[in-house]
Amino acid sequence: MRKTVSLFFFLISCMLVAQHSETISLNEGWQFRQASKSPQNEVTSSTATQWYEASVPGSVQRDLIRHGVLPDPYYGTNENKVQWIENENWDFKKTFCVTARQLQYDDAMISFEGLDTHADVFLNGSRILQADNMFTGHKISVKKLLKEGENNLYIRFYSPITTMMPARETFGYDYPAGNDHRAEKLSVYNRKAPYHFGWDWGIRMVQMGIWKPVSLHFYHKAFIEDYYVKQASVNAQKAHIENQIEIVSLSEQSLKATLSIVYSIQGGNSEREDKEITLLKGKNRFNLPLVISAPKLWMPIDWGEQHMYDFTAKIMVDDKVIAEKAVRTGLRTIRHIAREDAQGRSFFFEVNGTPLFAKGANYIPGEILTTQQDSAYYAKMFNHIEEAHMNMVRVWGGGIYENEEFYRQADERGILVWQDFIFGCTPYPSDDAFLANVREEAVYNIKRLRNHASLAYWCGNNEVLEGLHYWGWDKQYPKAVMDAWFQGYDKTFRELLPALVKEYDGTRDYTHGSPDVANWGQPHLFNQGDVHDWGLWYGELPFEAMADRLPRFASEFGFQSFPEMKTIRTFAAPDQWSLESEVMKVHQKASTGNSLIKKYMDMYYHEPKNFEDFVYVGLVMQGNGMEESVEAMRRGRPYCMGALYWQINDSWPVVSWSSIDYYDNWKAQHYRMRDVLAPLALGIAFREDTLDFYTMSDYLQDRNNLQLTVQVIDFNVGKQKELTMKVDAKANASNIVGSRALTELMRESDKANTMIHAFLSDSKGNVISTKDHFFYWPNKLNLPETKIETKIKYADGQYTLTLSSPRLAKDVFVEIPVQGARFSDNFIDLLPGEKRSIVITSPLLKAADRTPVTVKHIRETY
């Protein structure tokens, strides 16, 4: 009888656990409240007693804004009204249910992908985790703590300010963390997004909360902890792959199993490699090599297809799958080339054996409320990147290691990713405990990101060594402190991180920091490595100077502008529309920002009539000036092999260096970047009374039998002369394809009234690229007064605007009061007698509404 009963329960048990794993989300049903009332702040009285519904992923600040406890932090001077949150502790709780069937699994593990930042986690009365790093995920076995029915989770988040204040007190000095917008510099002690503490473009909002998903996993017999498809060597003939797999066995006895790797080109027929293995209790590591003949290579955008392979690792016991894990990746090689040459030391990237000119931008987190970045956000951001013809984006070291969707979008679109570790602009502690924390963070994120084809490069930090050498800290701190910081730099960025990249990645190059040698004040060193050239802007050099100080690779350079007026209206009332108003000061985080914009405007433009014109002229100046800089770099290849401008995006509505504002409105700069970064672009350089015409091509094949048309345009009467010539565009190169002396085209006295309009077309007459060249900036041009005629065709979701003018209308700006509306073109030069159509699209546009469209050009501003 006993045997019969035992057999019955055994069979029931097997039926209960019919699958090898199960996952339930724990994101729903959270509540939060302030842990205790702060006697210093009356606003906190209600939050200390009331439980609020929490969004997970999310943050305390995001939810308090959503519940109306905090005001809109972006409006007016509200920033200071949301900062008391950082000084308090906050509690989160939820209940969840577990069934008897789920308790039959061999193990249960709770996963916290990201807790921000200092937290104690309790489950059913037991503390299961002490977290102190925003960037590290945690997986904890909790089977022994779970019970059938209701289970209770509780998390206490501790203020990153009060938690780390003793570290500051015992150090004896404040670190020179100038972007930390608080008197006490505590950001350096927290392994947390530095930009949360403020930046020279950023609001301060030091968040706490569950910023990544939470889930509960049930496993039977074993699970795959990690799977790395390591590309040992790849070329067009063969790809040598090492399938590195970490398996956790839950069985007390050893298990005879089969490790199978099933792989295929995405959507193609699959192949399989098997290996017999023995699993011992605990962690087991295996490597199953395989060779893929004639692989289809993953290529950067404009070089070919982004071919992706699907790999699945399966563990089978008795012909039944007990664990599996899938990876999608592209096969390619990416190398960073830094070698001595006749001109110094090169700095460029080589993809599948071919040198690549890196075109792109620095990317900062797109939200101060980090968890508002959802999949739709990433799709839009990569639309912006792709439409501007970028092939590389730098994930900057003051933000976060980005979410999975960021890298997935980059993989699928062929955008290379330069990945900083998250350190920026200040020294950091280097004691054993701090470095142990950094080690855990680095290993976690290297393993998380290393399967992405788009990931091209690891960089230790942003501007830390530059600061140590050039920012005057040696005048503020004792020699012993400076010596310790230099030693700490080496321990972290020259020893720890490169060793971890080698061990856990082993296929990508690493540099200790960016820039690797020189800052903008050392132009004699621009012949080696990468450069952050802030001679433009902070150095107050003119835009024209950038062509005479080309670096080997520009990984930062930029120029500020205000966002357009429809964005300014979201945070400032009309009585605040002036450079020195309180609201504008709050929304300008660079100490000399507004004055520098005005100083440059005085160099190049007539004084605008009013604030709205000032904003518009500033947008135009940023766009045209940055185009001039980027074009010079692109013309300068192969000496210069990269232009990553600062910065593509904003984290809140602000005055900044961005080319797209917080509400997804393209500034003039983004349109100009789209033109100058095109796969085949036309460039013009005017030197010694000669115009040189360039083709700047990223295509891997020559483009022959093209026609270059050069028109001389009088501002008032239109075309005066036209020249054509047959040209060839050499593959993956920049070359002069034609030259003309100024005297062949016009008189010297005509330069203030005349422009060059050039365009490149193919054998069928299709225009490939257009370039307008003016001999002076607008304050030295005789721009005519003119009236632009407009016609609008209205349709739901799309307005088509047709423009014409009898005389030149320079930098025509079309504006519509709809955030994020897209324009087929904007900030254009409308030639005399020309008709141009601009298509405006947005789901918010309705034909019946006839939303107003306004048009402005430079001559109207003075």
Side-chain angles (χ1 to χ4, degrees):
M1 184 64 182
R2 287 180 180 176
K3 289 184 178 179
T4 304
V5 172
S6 297
L7 180 60
F8 173 78
F9 280 110
F10 173 75
L11 292 173
I12 290 295
S13 175
C14 290
M15 290 170 64
L16 287 172
V17 187
Q19 57 193 52
H20 58 75
S21 66
E22 183 179 348
T23 297
I24 61 174
S25 170
L26 298 182
N27 290 339
E28 302 299 323
W30 286 91
Q31 296 178 292
F32 78 104
R33 72 174 180 185
Q34 189 179 338
S36 60
K37 179 179 176 181
S38 170
Q40 287 80 28
N41 197 325
E42 294 180 3
V43 182
T44 69
S45 58
S46 63
T47 60
T49 57
Q50 180 177 346
W51 287 97
Y52 294 91
E53 177 263 330
S55 294
V56 171
S59 72
V60 171
Q61 285 91 333
R62 182 181 176 187
D63 278 328
L64 289 178
I65 293 166
R66 184 168 58 88
H67 287 296
V69 177
L70 295 179
D72 175 1
Y74 304 156
Y75 189 79
T77 59
N78 283 348
E79 177 181 358
N80 61 4
K81 296 179 181 178
V82 304
Q83 292 178 349
W84 60 268
I85 307 295
E86 68 186 43
N87 299 307
E88 308 299 329
N89 301 335
W90 297 87
D91 288 347
F92 283 66
K93 70 176 182 179
K94 80 168 265 99
T95 60
F96 62 95
C97 289
V98 174
T99 66
R101 179 186 62 80
Q102 290 167 333
L103 290 175
Q104 294 298 314
Y105 280 94
D106 292 334
D107 202 1
M109 305 195 78
I110 193 167
S111 169
F112 296 95
E113 295 182 37
L115 297 174
D116 184 9
T117 290
H118 304 278
D120 285 340
V121 182
F122 296 85
L123 173 63
N124 293 336
S126 296
R127 184 166 63 187
I128 61 171
L129 174 65
Q130 289 180 285
D132 63 352
N133 191 317
M134 175 181 178
F135 306 122
T136 304
H138 305 276
K139 209 169 184 180
I140 308 108
S141 177
V142 294
K143 178 176 169 60
K144 294 179 181 179
L145 297 175
L146 293 176
K147 55 189 179 182
E148 184 179 350
E150 191 173 275
N151 292 260
N152 297 291
L153 262 177
Y154 201 101
I155 307 176
R156 171 156 292 178
F157 286 94
Y158 297 98
S159 160
I161 305 304
T162 59
T163 298
M164 300 314 298
M165 195 67 78
R168 172 185 179 269
E169 294 297 330
T170 54
F171 181 66
Y173 300 89
D174 260 323
Y175 277 77
N179 289 304
D180 185 335
H181 295 169
R182 183 177 172 129
E184 306 94 343
K185 307 304 181 186
L186 297 163
S187 56
V188 295
Y189 300 107
N190 289 276
R191 289 312 300 149
K192 171 175 174 56
Y195 86 108
H196 282 181
F197 295 83
W199 217 264
D200 58 3
W201 38 259
I203 186 174
R204 180 185 176 96
M205 203 181 298
V206 183
Q207 291 162 78
M208 287 164 277
I210 307 169
W211 82 289
K212 286 194 173 184
V214 185
S215 51
L216 182 61
H217 306 266
F218 299 95
Y219 298 110
H220 184 54
K221 290 188 178 179
F223 62 91
I224 298 175
E225 177 72 17
D226 187 66
Y227 177 20
Y228 180 26
V229 181
K230 184 175 182 179
Q231 302 180 34
S233 67
V234 176
N235 56 41
Q237 289 73 46
K238 289 183 179 180
H240 291 267
I241 305 297
E242 295 179 6
N243 293 279
Q244 298 183 356
I245 300 165
E246 186 175 291
I247 305 164
V248 176
S249 174
L250 304 172
S251 175
E252 295 294 334
Q253 291 79 36
S254 63
L255 288 176
K256 297 293 184 181
T258 301
L259 167 61
S260 290
I261 303 297
V262 181
Y263 62 96
S264 66
I265 188 74
Q266 189 175 348
N269 296 325
S270 63
E271 299 186 48
R272 173 172 163 173
E273 293 278 344
D274 291 344
K275 181 177 184 177
E276 300 304 314
I277 60 174
T278 299
L279 294 174
L280 304 177
K281 184 175 175 59
K283 288 187 178 181
N284 300 258
R285 293 181 176 88
F286 299 96
N287 181 12
L288 198 164
L290 60 84
V291 176
I292 299 176
S293 298
K296 292 186 176 181
L297 300 183
W298 181 94
M299 299 292 278
I301 190 169
D302 296 322
W303 276 19
E305 297 296 317
Q306 288 75 54
H307 295 293
M308 302 291 285
Y309 281 77
D310 289 314
F311 293 81
T312 302
K314 297 184 179 183
I315 311 301
M316 292 180 290
V317 174
D318 298 328
D319 294 326
K320 294 181 180 179
V321 175
I322 65 168
E324 61 184 314
K325 194 174 185 72
V327 166
R328 176 170 289 174
T329 191
L331 305 182
R332 80 293 174 271
T333 60
I334 299 175
R335 294 200 306 148
H336 171 241
I337 309 299
R339 58 182 171 224
E340 303 298 323
D341 57 25
Q343 297 161 309
R345 178 167 53 84
S346 68
F347 191 110
F348 66 93
F349 295 92
E350 190 181 80
V351 183
N352 296 327
T354 302
L356 173 135
F357 187 96
K359 308 178 302 181
N362 287 260
Y363 167 87
I364 66 171
E367 296 277 357
I368 182 61
L369 295 165
T370 312
T371 58
Q372 291 186 164
Q373 297 179 190
D374 58 13
S375 58
Y377 161 82
Y378 289 111
K380 282 196 299 184
M381 176 51 61
F382 274 88
N383 286 341
H384 298 320
I385 291 168
E386 186 174 350
E387 290 167 23
H389 304 299
M390 299 179 186
N391 60 23
M392 178 175 278
V393 62
R394 176 183 176 220
V395 178
W396 163 79
I400 60 173
Y401 304 94
E402 269 297 334
N403 289 334
E404 183 68 19
E405 183 64 16
F406 179 96
Y407 304 95
R408 191 188 70 80
Q409 290 279 347
D411 289 345
E412 293 188 352
R413 299 178 190 244
I415 309 298
L416 299 173
V417 176
W418 166 323
Q419 178 68 55
D420 282 5
F421 287 93
I422 307 303
F423 301 88
C425 298
T426 183
Y428 286 84
S430 57
D431 56 88
D432 291 347
F434 187 86
L435 291 185
N437 198 354
V438 169
R439 177 187 175 85
E440 184 179 1
E441 165 192 324
V443 171
Y444 178 80
N445 285 287
I446 293 169
K447 293 172 75 171
R448 183 172 71 89
L449 302 180
R450 62 190 178 180
N451 278 317
H452 286 283
S454 56
L455 183 63
Y457 195 48
W458 293 102
C459 176
N461 68 80
N462 176 76
E463 295 184 352
V464 176
L465 188 62
E466 175 178 302
L468 287 167
H469 279 303
Y470 302 119
W471 292 0
W473 297 338
D474 57 332
K475 306 294 192 298
Q476 305 170 46
Y477 297 90
K479 183 177 183 299
V481 171
M482 290 297 298
D483 289 346
W485 283 341
F486 275 106
Q487 292 165 12
Y489 185 93
D490 289 344
K491 285 166 62 177
T492 304
F493 304 114
R494 298 189 194 273
E495 298 169 19
L496 176 64
L497 291 180
L500 296 177
V501 168
K502 183 177 181 181
E503 179 179 358
Y504 292 98
D505 182 330
T507 67
R508 294 174 183 85
D509 293 305
Y510 166 93
T511 186
H512 62 91
S514 180
D516 66 348
V517 175
N519 80 334
W520 60 266
Q522 312 289 318
H524 62 285
L525 297 175
F526 280 20
N527 65 341
Q528 51 188 300
D530 71 314
V531 170
H532 294 188
D533 188 358
W534 288 103
L536 175 67
W537 188 252
Y538 284 118
E540 301 184 15
L541 293 176
F543 289 110
E544 307 91 278
M546 298 296 278
D548 299 323
R549 47 191 281 135
L550 288 184
R552 305 306 297 267
F553 191 106
S555 46
E556 274 192 29
F557 60 102
F559 193 88
Q560 273 200 358
S561 72
F562 281 70
E564 62 179 272
M565 284 304 303
K566 69 185 174 192
T567 293
I568 292 173
R569 290 186 185 100
T570 67
F571 64 76
D575 64 356
Q576 294 292 310
W577 293 356
S578 66
L579 289 184
E580 299 306 316
S581 74
E582 287 304 308
V583 171
M584 291 306 160
K585 288 178 181 178
V586 167
H587 288 76
Q588 167 59 276
K589 298 300 185 182
S591 58
T592 58
N594 290 349
S595 62
L596 276 177
I597 294 173
K598 187 175 188 310
K599 183 170 184 175
Y600 274 92
M601 199 175 293
D602 290 343
M603 291 168 57
Y604 294 121
Y605 291 84
H606 296 282
E607 184 176 355
K609 295 176 183 177
N610 52 48
F611 179 77
E612 294 178 75
D613 285 346
F614 180 91
V615 168
Y616 154 63
V617 173
L619 287 163
V620 169
M621 178 170 65
Q622 180 198 37
N624 291 341
M626 287 295 290
E627 179 186 29
E628 188 168 322
S629 299
V630 172
E631 184 184 316
M633 293 174 189
R634 202 169 174 201
R635 291 195 310 258
R637 71 176 299 178
Y639 176 83
C640 177
M641 285 296 287
L644 306 181
Y645 68 85
W646 185 270
Q647 68 211 63
I648 187 173
N649 60 321
D650 284 329
S651 62
W652 70 307
V654 66
V655 186
S656 81
W657 297 266
S658 70
S659 62
I660 303 169
D661 77 19
Y662 177 73
Y663 294 110
D664 282 325
N665 302 302
W666 284 25
K667 298 182 179 180
Q669 181 181 3
H670 210 74
Y671 292 97
R672 299 291 76 79
M673 294 301 99
R674 179 197 62 183
D675 297 342
V676 75
L677 298 179
L680 176 53
L682 181 63
I684 300 177
F686 181 56
R687 309 181 188 95
E688 298 177 354
D689 293 327
T690 298
L691 286 160
D692 292 326
F693 299 90
Y694 285 75
T695 56
M696 305 177 294
S697 178
D698 294 315
Y699 290 123
L700 297 185
Q701 295 81 33
D702 292 345
R703 299 288 296 272
N704 298 325
N705 196 29
L706 305 177
Q707 178 169 290
L708 172 62
T709 302
V710 179
Q711 297 178 343
V712 180
I713 306 290
D714 180 277
F715 296 165
N716 289 284
V717 298
K719 184 169 64 176
Q720 299 296 290
K721 187 176 295 187
E722 180 176 287
L723 306 173
T724 61
M725 59 191 88
K726 294 295 182 182
V727 300
D728 297 329
K730 188 176 179 182
N732 208 28
S734 296
N735 294 99
I736 297 175
V737 293
S739 298
R740 286 292 183 272
L742 182 66
T743 53
E744 295 181 57
L745 302 172
M746 69 184 74
R747 297 169 300 184
E748 176 72 23
S749 59
D750 293 331
K751 288 163 64 178
N753 307 288
T754 308
M755 61 181 284
I756 299 296
H757 176 67
F759 54 93
L760 194 66
S761 51
D762 63 20
S763 58
K764 296 179 180 179
N766 300 310
V767 175
I768 299 169
S769 179
T770 300
K771 175 67 179 178
D772 290 340
H773 177 81
F774 293 86
F775 293 94
Y776 304 117
W777 282 82
N779 61 353
K780 294 183 179 178
L781 294 175
N782 296 324
L783 296 176
E785 294 187 26
T786 189
K787 180 177 176 57
I788 299 176
E789 294 184 10
T790 63
K791 293 182 179 180
I792 305 177
K793 180 181 178 181
Y794 298 97
D796 287 349
Q798 178 176 298
Y799 290 2
T800 302
L801 175 68
T802 302
L803 306 173
S804 62
S805 171
R807 288 173 285 279
L808 172 70
K810 182 162 172 44
D811 299 306
V812 176
F813 173 39
V814 180
E815 188 173 12
I816 191 166
V818 176
Q819 298 289 9
R822 301 302 303 276
F823 297 76
S824 59
D825 209 348
N826 212 338
F827 300 95
I828 64 170
D829 296 325
L830 186 61
L831 306 184
E834 178 188 22
K835 281 192 174 182
R836 290 280 291 275
S837 289
I838 293 176
V839 179
I840 310 169
T841 56
S842 169
L844 300 176
L845 293 178
K846 304 299 178 185
D849 293 344
R850 298 198 167 213
T851 304
V853 177
T854 57
V855 178
K856 180 181 291 191
H857 63 94
I858 284 292
R859 185 62 185 85
E860 294 176 321
T861 65
Y862 62 92

